[in-house]
Amino acid sequence: MERTLILLKPDCVQRRLMGAVISRFENKGLNIIAMKMLQVTPELAKQHYAEHVSKPFYPGLEKFITGAPVVALVLEGLEVIRVVRDILGATSGLKAAAGTIRGDYSSSRQMNLVHASDGPEAAAREIALYFQANELCGYTPTLVEWLKAEDE
Ligand code: CMP
């Protein structure tokens, strides 16, 4: 089992798309094991987007991500990091394939609705930025036997 950090960004919250996005994850059979709404501070934004801080688009990205609340989630599932990034589609909503979340709901590179960790190291780092260990509520869904075979 793998875990990944998801942020429903300010555009997702403001556009009332939280339910639609969370439904995609639930319908796929992924387990939500933590979830909270919070306001990202400039300090947290710089930690989260450390690799982008020196890029020309960073000031706009920080203004955007701190401009309204976000919802942070931890999702758990088999190959969940790749699976979720496939569900989201390409970074830019203009390039994302139809059928993906960004392809269906976003027409922007910055306002692309959802962030998802891009690898296991980023996932561990980002989960620790948003959640204490005791806020992660791993559990076995009662319908697990209808989601995958025992040997998968
Ligand atoms: P995310 O997956 O959260 O990771 C970094 C974010 O920076 C990305 O989604 C976009 O919201 C934003 N981003 C990436 N590239 C650009 C760009 N060239 N211009 C503006 N924003 C960008």
Side-chain angles (χ1 to χ4, degrees), residues 9 49 52 57 61 64 85 91 102 109-112 114-116:
K9 297 185 185 182
Y49 285 128
H52 298 307
F57 64 81
L61 176 59
F64 162 59
R85 289 178 70 84
T91 299
R102 291 170 178 156
R109 193 168 48 183
Q110 181 181 81
M111 299 197 185
N112 60 1
V114 187
H115 167 83

Side-chain angles (χ1 to χ4, degrees), residues 12-130:
C12 186
V13 174
Q14 292 282 8
R15 291 177 57 197
R16 276 72 173 131
L17 289 172
M18 291 180 285
V21 171
I22 289 170
S23 287
R24 297 265 190 132
F25 299 145
E26 290 193 309
N27 292 344
K28 180 70 176 170
L30 302 173
N31 237 11
I32 298 171
I33 64 160
M35 180 159 67
K36 66 171 132 181
M37 180 173 267
L38 69 145
Q39 184 81 37
V40 175
T41 61
E43 293 70 32
L44 178 56
K46 286 184 185 73
Q47 286 180 284
H48 180 147
Y49 285 128
E51 66 185 287
H52 298 307
V53 166
S54 58
K55 295 189 181 157
F57 64 81
Y58 181 77
L61 176 59
E62 183 179 292
K63 185 162 182 270
F64 162 59
I65 206 74
T66 62
V70 303
V71 174
L73 301 93
V74 179
L75 296 182
E76 188 176 72
L78 292 174
E79 300 179 45
V80 70
I81 294 170
R82 178 194 56 76
V83 166
V84 167
R85 289 178 70 84
D86 286 350
I87 292 171
L88 294 188
T91 299
S92 169
L94 291 176
K95 303 219 165 64
T100 64
I101 289 172
R102 291 170 178 156
D104 287 354
Y105 296 118
S106 167
S107 298
S108 167
R109 193 168 48 183
Q110 181 181 81
M111 299 197 185
N112 60 1
L113 297 167
V114 187
H115 167 83
S117 308
D118 66 5
E121 282 175 21
R125 187 180 73 80
E126 293 172 5
I127 289 169
L129 272 182
Y130 288 89

